[in-house]
Amino acid sequence: MKNQEFHETIEKIIDSKSFGRSDTYANLLRYLAKCSLNKAIPKETTIAAEIFGKPEFDPSQSTLIRVYVYNLRKKIANYYQKEGINDSHLIRIPKGGYAIELIERRKEHTTSSILMKDKKWISIFCLSAVCLFFAFLYFSKNTNSTPPVNPNGLWKDIIHSELPTVLVLGDLFIYQEQDTTHELNRTIRDPSINSLEAFEAFKNNYHDSTTTLMPHSYSYLILGSAQWIKQLTEIFTALDTDYSIQTISRFNPKQLQDYTIIAVGMHKTLGLFQHYLKTSHFTYDDKNGAFIYTNGSKNTIVYKPHGNADSYHTDYAYMAKFKGPNNNAIYVFSGLWDTGATQSLKNFTDPKLLKQLETSLKNEFGELPENYEVFFEVNGIDRMELSSKILHLHTITN
């Protein structure tokens, strides 16, 4: 196929309904096609600079390019399953690289023509067909075909977004203490230190000439993180879509505009998302580990967990959805303890609780608001949530 025909194929895919109306993905496909024709396959850093305007992009810190190309492959595959089903040639982007290949579509032999060459295969085919038929009946009766979430409900901005989705997990900050006198190294987790900034402030007031303090190269994730990933993965798998995972300690603020963002964790571990919303009715009191609620008056309510986290206790959970700097959707799910964080996300991922939440928002505002915040009281035992109730519902503006 000549270069002109190659360009026409690319444009035909971009103009198709299956590909969608996204300038970013169209520009990315055109760029990769141009590089492939010139036999100059770009690196992630080059793609980031040329297409996304990010000359200082670091692939070790962001999966942005890989996620976009992953989604681009899905868009191309979707085209060939629909409008391009009869195309004589296919383009593809093999995994592990960014070169576009042009291949001829092979005409597959039909199953019947192959089977007729040998009668014994007919029996095998028939037996397999019977087995498949009964397997189909079984799974049809035992599989719930209902979508896990309402595509026009609270998940709509995730489902219909052209941006890749990233899950940002609140991780626990740790630092290393080197005792030069006794030649000992200790790994320290101080609940009052939850960021590099807090660590530097602590270090500046630390006076011990025999000890050296330095931030660790890694952090800790709480046990609930595995549950959060599981809950989201089940839904994303059912939706046949993908998402990447980062920790807040490695999240660069420059990435705010590149993704649909889901931030989950104890509120004290959420870094820039702790105080991101200026129009929220809630502020976070880091010193006392509490949410402070204000609703248009000087009167405030302080919400602080009580009870024993390892037995019966009451926690408070916060959930918000708002627009980011690129009109992208940002979701925050948090709690003062891990119990609240887990329950906050559960209200968004459990089908029954999600439906109840959507109903509550509709009853309060007449429709599902574009941006909102919800505040819950959560009862739990041994750091596991038992039940929750909504205390406050608000629409918010950025």
Side-chain angles (χ1 to χ4, degrees):
M1 196 179 266
K2 298 179 180 179
N3 289 358
Q4 181 62 31
E5 293 175 307
F6 183 76
H7 285 300
E8 290 176 355
T9 300
I10 296 297
E11 294 303 319
K12 182 180 178 183
I13 293 173
I14 291 173
D15 291 338
S16 69
K17 184 178 180 180
S18 299
F19 191 80
R21 297 290 180 265
S22 171
D23 291 338
T24 302
Y25 282 105
N27 292 336
L28 177 59
L29 180 55
R30 290 189 182 105
Y31 178 73
L32 295 181
K34 178 182 177 181
C35 292
S36 298
L37 285 174
N38 294 332
K39 297 182 179 180
I41 309 307
K43 297 180 179 179
E44 285 187 41
T45 51
T46 308
I47 297 172
E50 295 291 333
I51 301 300
F52 297 93
K54 298 180 177 297
E56 299 179 357
F57 180 79
D58 183 356
S60 67
Q61 299 295 319
S62 174
T63 61
L64 177 69
I65 305 304
R66 277 165 280 170
V67 172
Y68 261 101
V69 174
Y70 171 85
N71 290 334
L72 180 60
R73 290 189 183 102
K74 291 178 66 175
K75 285 178 174 289
I76 294 172
N78 191 35
Y79 164 78
Y80 283 115
Q81 290 173 359
K82 296 178 180 178
E83 292 97 330
I85 193 168
N86 294 318
D87 287 7
S88 59
H89 289 78
L90 309 175
I91 67 164
R92 67 177 183 179
I93 308 173
K95 294 181 179 180
Y98 302 114
I100 292 182
E101 294 181 353
L102 182 66
I103 61 174
E104 184 177 357
R105 172 174 274 170
R106 296 177 181 178
K107 295 182 180 180
E108 302 293 343
H109 294 290
T110 63
T111 304
S112 59
S113 65
I114 297 175
L115 294 176
M116 291 304 293
K117 292 181 180 180
D118 195 329
K119 290 184 179 180
K120 71 175 182 179
W121 291 107
I122 298 178
S123 299
I124 296 175
F125 173 75
C126 292
L127 180 60
S128 300
V130 171
C131 293
L132 288 172
F133 174 74
F134 282 105
F136 171 79
L137 290 179
Y138 174 82
F139 285 108
S140 295
K141 293 180 180 179
N142 292 278
T143 301
N144 183 8
S145 60
T146 303
V149 295
N150 178 5
N152 296 314
L154 294 181
W155 273 77
K156 66 178 181 179
D157 282 344
I158 298 175
I159 295 173
H160 301 303
S161 175
E162 290 289 349
L163 295 173
T165 299
V166 61
L167 168 62
V168 183
L169 295 172
D171 51 344
L172 300 177
F173 187 90
I174 57 176
Y175 64 92
Q176 188 173 9
E177 181 184 87
Q178 293 182 338
D179 187 332
T180 55
T181 301
H182 301 92
E183 297 184 352
L184 295 174
N185 291 330
R186 305 182 186 91
T187 295
I188 307 295
R189 165 58 190 162
D190 186 336
S192 66
I193 301 175
N194 295 294
S195 67
L196 183 60
E197 292 75 18
F199 169 74
E200 292 297 338
F202 168 76
K203 183 178 177 181
N204 291 335
N205 293 317
Y206 188 83
H207 304 290
D208 185 344
S209 59
T210 66
T211 304
T212 301
L213 305 180
M214 63 184 66
H216 238 305
S217 58
Y218 57 86
S219 58
Y220 284 152
L221 288 173
I222 65 173
L223 183 62
S225 300
Q227 185 174 349
W228 305 335
I229 293 171
K230 176 181 179 294
Q231 291 170 352
L232 288 168
T233 299
E234 288 174 349
I235 294 181
F236 276 98
T237 299
L239 295 173
D240 190 27
T241 190
D242 189 39
Y243 74 98
S244 57
I245 302 173
Q246 290 189 28
T247 56
I248 192 67
S249 62
R250 293 183 176 274
F251 185 79
N252 190 327
K254 294 180 180 179
Q255 297 176 266
L256 275 171
Q257 63 181 357
D258 299 330
Y259 296 90
T260 296
I261 298 171
I262 301 174
V264 188
M266 290 187 290
H267 209 78
K268 66 182 180 181
T269 68
L270 289 185
L272 62 90
F273 296 106
Q274 287 182 30
H275 311 288
Y276 189 88
L277 271 177
K278 295 181 180 179
T279 60
S280 173
H281 292 79
F282 297 87
T283 55
Y284 175 60
D285 182 351
D286 186 46
K287 183 178 180 180
N288 296 304
F291 283 118
I292 301 176
Y293 173 70
T294 305
N295 187 18
S297 66
K298 294 182 180 180
N299 296 326
T300 60
I301 303 175
V302 177
Y303 290 102
K304 188 174 182 179
H306 51 88
N308 188 333
D310 295 321
S311 59
Y312 187 81
H313 60 277
T314 298
D315 193 9
Y316 294 95
Y318 178 77
M319 169 187 175
K321 184 261 176 178
F322 49 91
K323 293 295 182 183
N326 192 25
N327 206 36
N328 53 313
I330 298 178
Y331 298 78
V332 173
F333 303 92
S334 70
L336 293 172
W337 291 347
D338 44 347
T339 305
T342 298
Q343 182 64 49
S344 179
L345 183 64
K346 188 175 180 180
N347 280 286
F348 196 67
T349 55
D350 181 273
K352 183 179 179 180
L353 295 178
L354 176 61
K355 187 174 182 179
Q356 291 175 356
L357 178 58
E358 290 176 339
T359 299
S360 296
L361 287 167
K362 288 179 181 179
N363 290 340
E364 181 73 18
F365 305 111
E367 61 181 2
L368 288 178
E370 186 68 22
N371 300 306
Y372 54 86
E373 61 182 359
V374 187
F375 193 74
F376 306 88
E377 180 183 272
V378 182
N379 294 314
I381 187 168
D382 193 20
R383 298 185 179 274
M384 295 298 292
E385 75 289 348
L386 294 176
S387 62
S388 67
K389 65 178 180 179
I390 297 175
L391 298 183
H392 303 286
L393 291 168
H394 294 287
T395 59
I396 53 177
T397 57
N398 286 44

